[in-house]
Amino acid sequence: MQVYKLTQYVRKVCNVYEKSLPLHAVKTHKTDIMEYDFREIEQRWQKQWRDSGLYKVDNKSDKPKYYVLDMFPYPSGAGLHVGHPLGYIATDIYSRYMRLCGYNVLHPMGFDAYGLPAEQYAIQTGQHPEVTTEKNIARYKEQLGKIGFCYDWDREVRTCDPDYYKWTQWAFRKMFNSFYCNTSQKAQPITDLIRHFSEKGSADLDVAQSEELSFSAAEWNNMSEHEQQQVLMNYRLAYLADTKVNWCPALGTVLANDEVSEGLSVRGGHPVEQRVMRQWSLRVSAYAQRLLEGLDRIDWSESIKDTQRNWIGRSEGAEMQFKVAGKDLEFTIFTTRADTVFGVTFMVLAPESEYVSHVVTEDHRQEVDEYLAWVRRRTERERIADRKVTGVFTGSYAINPLTEKEIPIYISDYVLAGYGTGAIMAVPAHDSRDYAFARHFNLPIIPLIEGADVSEQSFDAKEGVMMNSGFLNGMQVKDAIAAMKQYITEHGIGKVKVNYRLRDAIFSRQRYWGEPFPVYYKDGMPYMIPEECLPLRLPEVDRFLPTETGEPPLGNAQLWAWDEKKQCVVESRKAKTENGVYPLELCTMPGFAGSSAYYLRYMDPHNDSALVGRQANDYWQQVDLYLGGSEHATGHLIYSRFWNKFLFDLGLVCKDEPYAKLINQGMIQGRSNFVYRYIGEGATGNLYVSFNLIDQPQYKDKVQAIHVDVNIVKNDVLDVNAFRNWMPEYKNAQFVYSDGTTDEDNPYIGMPSEKQYICGWAIEKMSKSMFNVVNPDDMVERYGADTLRLYEMFLGPLEMSKPWDTNGIDGVHRFLRKLWNMYENITEEEPSADELRSLHKLIKKVTWDIEHFSFNTSIPAFMIAQSELQKCSKRAVLEPLAILIAPYAPHLAEEMYHRCGHDTSVCDAQWPECIEAYLVEDTQKYPVQFNGKVRFTIEVPKDMSREEVEKTVMADPQTDKYLQGATPKKVIVVPGRIVNIVI
RNA sequence: GCCGCGAUGGUGGAAUCGGUAGACACGAAGGACUUAAAAUCCUUUGACCAGAAAUGGUUGUGUGGGUUCAAGUCCCACUCGCGGUACCA
């Protein structure tokens, strides 16, 4: 008895062990059918493709071009999980399909290799970020390589490669030397502006600028070089300015708006505070209107276009001047509700507004200073979390230009310095924020729209008939806005103005691992390193932390000064001692610098005289299909469009939009599993209750859910031994199994028994901390790349988020094996009509699916065709079938195609054409409905007329049964579809 | 709050033009093969009701209305979930 149980135990342990082995390794040998040895097949073909350069792409071809791009991955230390390749598989399918359709397809891959995580890791471990980055990239490439993508690796780019960042620096230099002309609506060389200044000063100028300056030509010409440079900074597209920035103390750097979410850094979740610092910025706002208009001409999802429209935030309104009572001072506000001027009962300035110091009266100074200090102390996060009304009276009054009444001027942080003019006219009756403020400070609220009840809340809608508004009374809101705009323009009180929410991008990072700026400082004034000296290489530092004096990490570099004469980098200390040697910029560029134009570099990756050669750019034009996550909507996808438009203005690229079509893939979520630790009375912390029991009275609310590694759970059944071995704290775990028995009822502790421990589950983000990460390598190892590719697509629609559950993968693996078995003995027989119908049905379906990016629906179509053609071994069917599946399962397809007698790659075959004639069936099935309910179906000849179908149905004996003697009111026959009899 | 997306069996999902809802796959149950297990194959599988069975019926796509001969699909109102964004004047 004992002996028997022991052998049984040994066997079961072996089985558990075998489960983790590749399928083919445990398969018994079968002699009747050939084995699907996916490992051998995949490795052989991957080598063959590599050796033959099958995926090398040429910039010259008679074929039409097609450019497919995946979003630039950041090579993280964690490697890829199964969610990452989803989009890459989709684009790979599309690329292979387009190649089969006769296109010259560019499908490159590279790495966004600069970034915070590698540097944080360097700070912690002292390892150079270059070393870890190199290692991570190698790992990524290995993982990607196993999945069988058709990337042309000769075109790989890395943002941290000097040959690459040379062009990032080069573009920055160009931006520095450009300004944006509003009249021509494009970037122009700064030399044009200098000429204008020397001829006309600031007159007749309509350009993008930080602030409005006014000077004559004479004044300009009398300025020192230093002063002129200072003025020019107001117009450059890459400019240095004191800006209110998001400072993240934990990361020791400034972050862009899109890198901050709810007051925390997106990377790492550290608190962020506001600070004023001298930073490089890119004048993205100059392009706001073009970025907005461009959206109408590109094929992107409506949701991402909407996100960008909101981010750009165009609003049409008016700027108006308000005089300050008793002072020779007026200030400007921006409003979209010019119609509400008669209801303005107070004014509000942003705490940072430059007007503040001018309007504060002596007796209010202390109170105001205290308030300003308090506002400054608050972090961004506190401000968002705590929305209570705060503010302070300045002691001054403004004069309403229409009512001539005096109204108090307040300061409050609900008015933002960075938007409009940093000052507003408050209309409490029709703006909820002004309303809350007015209520708090007991300020008057004057309703301006008939029927609006403002006793409880403001009436914010832009509709209704005006009242209490002088000459506007009786007008509709829309008309009143127009009328008021005209009035203020004519009376010189203000002007019509369009405002954008989009702000300039802060471009400096106080970090090491990024592109160095090609900039040195002469008397604090920045100068560009000559173009021919690029790239300016990232120097070595001995530590990656800020210097003792608080300078960025590059301050630690020994070799980091510019010798203007020798035109080279020299020892940092010489900047203090030698003439003609100047300090170099210590900040580096942000993450989006290197990813803004990478798609252009892929077109011509080895060109050392241009970012992209004219010919290469003319050939590839722009990205035809871009696929990636929607999280880049307000970051990369705006910057990249901006960067491209700038290069377009300079005549360096031929298209003003980089990505013609954009698809956002959904996220692959994790499916987490849980065990339930008993924490009730007498708990030892060692007892785990099966999921199906946790609602029973003795366990209810007495268990604690704990994440368990999904890799030791199958179909929600826990491998209890693997669990005990998983972590030391679970070594002595005891279980209450699904049938209520415990380990004590099962004397052989440690023996896998029939008793099952059922785990709970939840759909969560795929992450290490949830123990739900599934690795693509493991999937390739166990099932093969082709199975993984198919299963990733099979999971659901590309654009939708969906959970990963490894359990379903067996189904597609079985399908591939069955498909493979059809190719054993291929014959030259003529296919039957049925076989041709199955094949051409499939051709039609798969072609439609790929063209509509509906990859998930193709897999069932293949499965159905496989089962219909199970017995077919005819080359005339099997060969096109191999081509059809080639985009999805390239290794297997290659093998099958060669078995059909070819010695060239299936990649260069021709996509089969659907011949409609084969699809035609001679009969047609009609579901017959009575009052919309299907009762039976009839089968009639295909070409039967509507009348005859009706006659046939009415003559059918089953019809009498459902009519029950009644006469039909109406019989609807939809040819080829349905019959509905209305009684 | 605002904007966008979504909701279909135990699970992932299908239904592409308003025309047989639940294809395909997983899971589950039962069976065959096997000393045994794995693998493989076969059958059943939305729910409910009737029947020994064949089968027949009712109900059913987040909720409530509507349009239509016919609605998962179109219209109106709402609920919940996910993502983005937030004093943007």
Side-chain angles (χ1 to χ4, degrees):
Chain A
M1 189 68 180
Q2 283 280 354
V3 172
Y4 170 72
K5 279 207 165 168
L6 194 63
T7 47
Q8 198 179 37
Y9 164 70
V10 168
R11 275 190 198 121
K12 286 195 169 168
V13 168
C14 289
N15 289 334
V16 167
Y17 173 62
E18 281 173 355
K19 273 180 198 162
S20 62
L21 283 177
L23 280 182
H24 85 273
V26 294
K27 235 183 329 180
T28 50
H29 290 286
K30 283 182 187 167
T31 45
D32 52 335
I33 52 164
M34 52 175 190
E35 200 159 310
Y36 174 36
D37 187 351
F38 54 83
R39 250 208 229 169
E40 189 277 327
I41 292 171
E42 290 177 0
Q43 283 173 8
R44 179 157 44 82
W45 283 115
Q46 280 172 15
K47 181 172 187 307
Q48 156 74 19
W49 294 336
R50 239 187 347 260
D51 293 349
S52 64
L54 181 65
Y55 301 127
K56 237 181 115 44
V57 182
D58 229 312
N59 279 357
K60 267 191 201 146
S61 171
D62 305 334
K63 295 176 181 173
K65 69 97 192 186
Y66 200 87
Y67 185 179
V68 181
L69 187 62
D70 296 298
M71 276 186 194
F72 224 11
Y74 174 78
S76 87
L80 293 171
H81 65 60
V82 287
H84 295 116
L86 179 81
Y88 307 154
I89 294 169
T91 49
D92 200 62
I93 291 170
Y94 200 75
S95 302
R96 288 172 180 276
Y97 167 75
M98 290 303 277
R99 179 167 175 173
L100 286 164
C101 289
Y103 287 84
N104 186 27
V105 180
L106 177 57
H107 184 212
M109 179 51 79
F111 299 95
D112 191 9
Y114 274 135
L116 287 175
E119 186 167 354
Q120 289 299 94
Y121 190 72
I123 291 168
Q124 284 160 24
T125 64
Q127 276 215 62
H128 198 291
E130 193 169 351
V131 176
T132 46
T133 301
E134 190 75 32
K135 210 171 82 191
N136 293 346
I137 289 178
R139 168 117 177 84
Y140 260 61
K141 283 183 78 167
E142 187 199 335
Q143 287 187 298
L144 292 171
K146 285 182 185 169
I147 306 175
F149 294 119
C150 62
Y151 298 129
D152 177 359
W153 283 111
D154 286 352
R155 292 178 185 252
E156 176 191 344
V157 300
R158 298 177 186 192
T159 51
C160 64
D161 179 349
D163 288 340
Y164 179 87
Y165 68 66
K166 172 181 175 177
W167 300 108
T168 313
Q169 294 174 335
W170 169 86
F172 174 80
R173 233 185 139 271
K174 291 274 184 213
M175 289 179 194
F176 180 82
N177 287 319
S178 301
F179 73 103
Y180 193 85
C181 173
N182 287 332
T183 315
S184 65
Q185 279 285 300
K186 62 188 268 196
Q188 287 178 7
I190 200 85
T191 46
D192 291 3
L193 192 65
I194 294 170
R195 194 178 320 119
H196 182 104
F197 287 161
S198 61
E199 285 164 11
K200 299 186 188 169
S202 63
D204 303 334
L205 205 57
D206 185 10
V207 297
Q209 55 196 357
S210 299
E211 55 183 312
E212 191 142 359
L213 301 180
S214 180
F215 52 86
S216 66
E219 282 171 311
W220 168 262
N221 292 323
N222 282 330
M223 284 180 201
S224 68
E225 148 92 10
H226 193 93
E227 284 167 330
Q228 286 186 342
Q229 286 298 321
Q230 213 146 20
V231 168
L232 288 175
M233 206 54 98
N234 193 49
Y235 306 93
R236 296 182 189 275
L237 284 181
Y239 63 95
L240 195 58
D242 288 325
T243 352
K244 197 173 158 194
V245 296
N246 306 300
W247 173 256
C248 178
L251 294 172
T253 190
V254 154
L255 298 170
N257 288 330
D258 68 283
E259 292 169 325
V260 179
S261 177
E262 312 210 339
L264 297 175
S265 67
V266 172
R267 283 258 161 103
H270 306 292
V272 168
E273 55 191 54
Q274 303 303 117
R275 261 198 201 180
V276 173
M277 288 175 73
R278 198 159 177 77
Q279 301 285 294
W280 284 105
S281 293
L282 302 186
R283 209 176 295 281
V284 180
S285 60
Y287 282 83
Q289 186 59 30
R290 277 171 64 192
L291 287 169
L292 187 65
E293 285 168 0
L295 292 172
D296 297 333
R297 299 190 303 271
I298 49 183
D299 183 9
W300 292 16
S301 72
E302 236 8 84
S303 73
I304 210 135
K305 287 205 237 181
D306 267 338
T307 306
Q308 291 212 344
R309 285 188 190 108
N310 291 338
W311 189 259
I312 294 166
R314 182 183 205 271
S315 56
E316 285 180 33
E319 274 186 359
M320 287 172 69
Q321 274 82 45
F322 278 68
K323 287 197 170 68
V324 178
K327 288 196 173 115
D328 183 20
L329 181 69
E330 57 177 26
F331 60 89
T332 310
I333 59 94
F334 175 73
T335 181
T336 54
R337 290 296 299 272
D339 58 313
T340 59
V341 183
F342 288 93
V344 175
T345 53
F346 58 101
M347 311 293 291
V348 188
L349 300 176
E352 300 84 355
S353 169
E354 57 186 79
Y355 296 124
V356 167
S357 56
H358 297 117
V359 297
V360 176
T361 58
E362 267 322 304
D363 47 334
H364 286 82
R365 189 166 298 277
Q366 193 187 341
E367 214 184 328
V368 167
D369 285 348
E370 277 167 19
Y371 181 70
L372 295 182
W374 177 80
V375 167
R376 235 175 282 130
R377 271 200 312 277
R378 286 181 98 189
T379 64
E380 188 66 7
R381 189 163 171 73
E382 282 168 354
R383 214 173 63 84
I384 291 164
D386 176 23
R387 274 290 162 77
K388 67 174 193 274
V389 175
T390 66
V392 63
F393 179 48
T394 59
S396 291
Y397 293 83
I399 296 162
N400 185 323
L402 278 109
T403 63
E404 305 271 307
K405 279 191 188 145
E406 290 197 355
I407 49 176
I409 304 172
Y410 281 79
I411 299 168
S412 174
D413 66 350
Y414 85 86
V415 174
L416 304 177
Y419 184 77
T421 60
I424 61 152
M425 60 176 214
V427 187
H430 301 288
D431 182 288
S432 49
R433 297 153 305 182
D434 297 345
Y435 187 88
F437 195 86
R439 273 285 140 107
H440 188 262
F441 288 96
N442 266 322
L443 296 158
I445 297 167
I446 308 169
L448 303 168
I449 291 171
E450 286 176 19
D453 174 16
V454 296
S455 58
E456 293 294 324
Q457 56 180 7
S458 61
F459 180 86
D460 289 15
K462 288 188 186 183
E463 57 192 34
V465 177
M466 302 302 298
M467 61 177 199
N468 293 334
S469 295
F471 70 94
L472 301 175
N473 283 343
M475 287 187 196
Q476 287 289 328
V477 167
K478 221 178 117 201
D479 303 328
I481 292 176
M484 183 56 88
K485 277 181 180 170
Q486 195 185 343
Y487 180 90
I488 59 172
T489 312
E490 283 170 1
H491 290 74
I493 308 169
K495 62 178 183 188
V496 173
K497 173 87 197 252
V498 175
N499 243 317
Y500 298 91
R501 204 191 79 123
L502 183 71
R503 282 180 240 172
D504 290 346
I506 294 161
F507 203 62
S508 301
R509 296 292 179 275
Q510 289 67 34
R511 303 289 296 197
Y512 172 72
W513 194 231
E515 297 87 349
F517 282 89
V519 172
Y520 61 98
Y521 290 90
K522 245 198 247 187
D523 303 328
M525 191 54 69
Y527 286 85
M528 292 292 126
I529 281 172
E531 193 173 318
E532 58 275 17
C533 297
L534 299 181
L536 177 69
R537 287 170 186 265
L538 186 65
E540 289 304 318
V541 292
D542 38 27
R543 52 200 295 262
F544 304 105
L545 288 167
T547 64
E548 267 127 48
T549 51
E551 286 177 327
L554 286 188
N556 294 317
Q558 302 288 325
L559 275 172
W560 200 239
W562 186 252
D563 188 322
E564 212 176 37
K565 274 218 184 70
K566 290 189 212 152
Q567 300 219 333
C568 66
V569 176
V570 296
E571 282 98 329
S572 313
R573 58 181 167 79
K574 288 190 181 166
K576 293 195 183 107
T577 55
E578 287 185 27
N579 273 341
V581 176
Y582 302 99
L584 281 157
E585 168 70 58
L586 298 181
C587 288
T588 53
M589 298 186 194
F592 64 83
S595 58
S596 287
Y598 74 115
Y599 60 96
L600 289 169
R601 194 61 186 161
Y602 283 133
M603 295 176 181
D604 201 6
H606 308 298
N607 192 330
D608 54 10
S609 60
L611 165 65
V612 53
R614 163 77 52 200
Q615 209 180 7
N617 185 245
D618 280 347
Y619 181 68
W620 294 111
Q621 304 261 315
Q622 66 188 144
V623 175
D624 294 291
L625 174 66
Y626 195 28
L627 197 138
S630 54
E631 68 271 21
H632 296 108
T634 53
H636 163 64
L637 287 171
I638 293 255
Y639 298 131
S640 196
R641 293 181 62 218
F642 155 76
W643 203 286
N644 188 76
K645 283 180 191 297
F646 169 71
L647 296 176
F648 175 79
D649 288 352
L650 267 52
L652 297 165
V653 300
C654 62
K655 290 277 184 179
D656 90 319
E657 284 289 342
Y659 316 112
K661 181 178 176 69
L662 174 80
I663 295 182
N664 297 114
Q665 93 249 34
M667 275 221 309
I668 296 251
Q669 297 147 311
R671 188 181 188 278
S672 310
N673 276 113
F674 299 95
V675 293
Y676 299 88
R677 178 189 275 154
Y678 180 66
I679 52 168
E681 220 167 292
T684 57
N686 245 346
L687 185 66
Y688 298 86
V689 182
S690 184
F691 172 64
N692 56 311
L693 302 176
I694 60 169
D695 280 334
Q696 294 196 350
Q698 70 266 39
Y699 302 123
K700 197 166 168 73
D701 302 325
K702 291 174 191 158
V703 291
Q704 171 194 16
I706 298 170
H707 278 97
V708 59
D709 187 353
V710 292
N711 295 297
I712 58 170
V713 177
K714 196 174 182 205
N715 290 324
D716 294 335
V717 176
L718 180 71
D719 180 339
V720 294
N721 281 329
F723 180 69
R724 288 180 178 124
N725 291 328
W726 180 39
M727 283 188 197
E729 58 174 307
Y730 303 128
K731 199 173 162 216
N732 299 314
Q734 300 282 298
F735 300 93
V736 180
Y737 294 99
S738 60
D739 59 358
T741 61
T742 65
D743 284 296
E744 281 164 33
D745 305 322
N746 300 287
Y748 299 97
I749 290 180
M751 177 200 294
S753 68
E754 300 304 314
K755 314 262 175 219
Q756 294 188 327
Y757 182 94
I758 316 258
C759 296
W761 60 273
I763 304 302
E764 298 175 303
K765 209 177 123 109
M766 193 173 276
S767 92
K768 258 185 174 167
S769 61
M770 315 263 195
F771 298 109
N772 59 10
V773 174
V774 180
N775 190 311
D777 299 346
D778 291 346
M779 296 296 107
V780 170
E781 186 67 13
R782 279 164 65 186
Y783 302 98
D786 288 334
T787 299
L788 174 67
R789 292 169 62 108
L790 243 64
Y791 187 56
E792 293 245 2
M793 294 298 104
F794 185 70
L795 279 179
L798 179 61
E799 304 190 39
M800 224 86 88
S801 284
K802 60 246 162 191
W804 178 272
D805 184 355
T806 303
N807 286 317
I809 201 169
D810 287 314
V812 290
H813 186 74
R814 269 194 283 270
F815 154 70
L816 284 184
R817 226 164 39 213
K818 285 188 261 182
L819 182 71
W820 169 241
N821 283 327
M822 290 167 62
Y823 285 73
E824 197 183 7
N825 295 305
I826 299 163
T827 67
E828 294 298 323
E829 270 176 275
E830 284 296 308
S832 69
D834 280 347
E835 286 166 344
L836 286 171
R837 191 178 304 119
S838 289
L839 175 67
H840 285 264
K841 214 169 63 187
L842 182 67
I843 295 171
K844 188 173 183 174
K845 171 77 180 146
V846 173
T847 307
W848 194 96
D849 283 348
I850 297 181
E851 286 185 347
H852 293 83
F853 305 96
S854 173
F855 305 113
N856 55 319
T857 51
S858 284
I859 320 292
F862 280 118
M863 289 173 170
I864 290 164
Q866 188 280 325
S867 109
E868 284 171 357
L869 295 166
Q870 182 81 53
K871 297 262 150 39
C872 175
S873 56
K874 298 161 187 168
R875 199 179 57 80
V877 172
L878 295 183
E879 189 178 306
L881 184 57
I883 301 168
L884 285 176
I885 206 161
Y888 293 85
H891 311 84
L892 183 64
E894 193 79 281
E895 186 72 12
M896 297 190 311
Y897 187 67
H898 279 70
R899 288 192 78 90
C900 289
H902 292 272
D903 49 16
T904 54
S905 172
V906 70
C907 294
D908 293 315
Q910 200 180 5
W911 189 253
E913 197 186 335
C914 170
I915 297 165
E916 292 283 340
Y918 292 139
L919 300 179
V920 179
E921 304 195 46
D922 351 321
T923 59
Q924 174 73 48
K925 277 191 184 127
Y926 280 94
V928 181
Q929 296 182 332
F930 290 81
N931 287 340
K933 279 183 184 151
V934 180
R935 295 302 180 179
F936 59 92
T937 54
I938 57 160
E939 197 165 353
V940 297
K942 177 85 186 167
D943 49 4
M944 192 180 243
S945 73
R946 185 188 296 246
E947 290 72 22
E948 277 176 295
V949 172
E950 183 175 340
K951 228 187 279 173
T952 315
V953 170
M954 295 316 288
D956 195 291
Q958 293 185 87
T959 303
D960 297 339
K961 186 173 136 196
Y962 293 101
L963 279 181
Q964 290 181 315
T967 319
K969 279 189 204 143
K970 205 170 171 189
V971 178
I972 293 144
V973 178
V974 185
R977 286 226 179 252
I978 208 161
V979 178
N980 192 6
I981 298 168
V982 188
I983 309 168

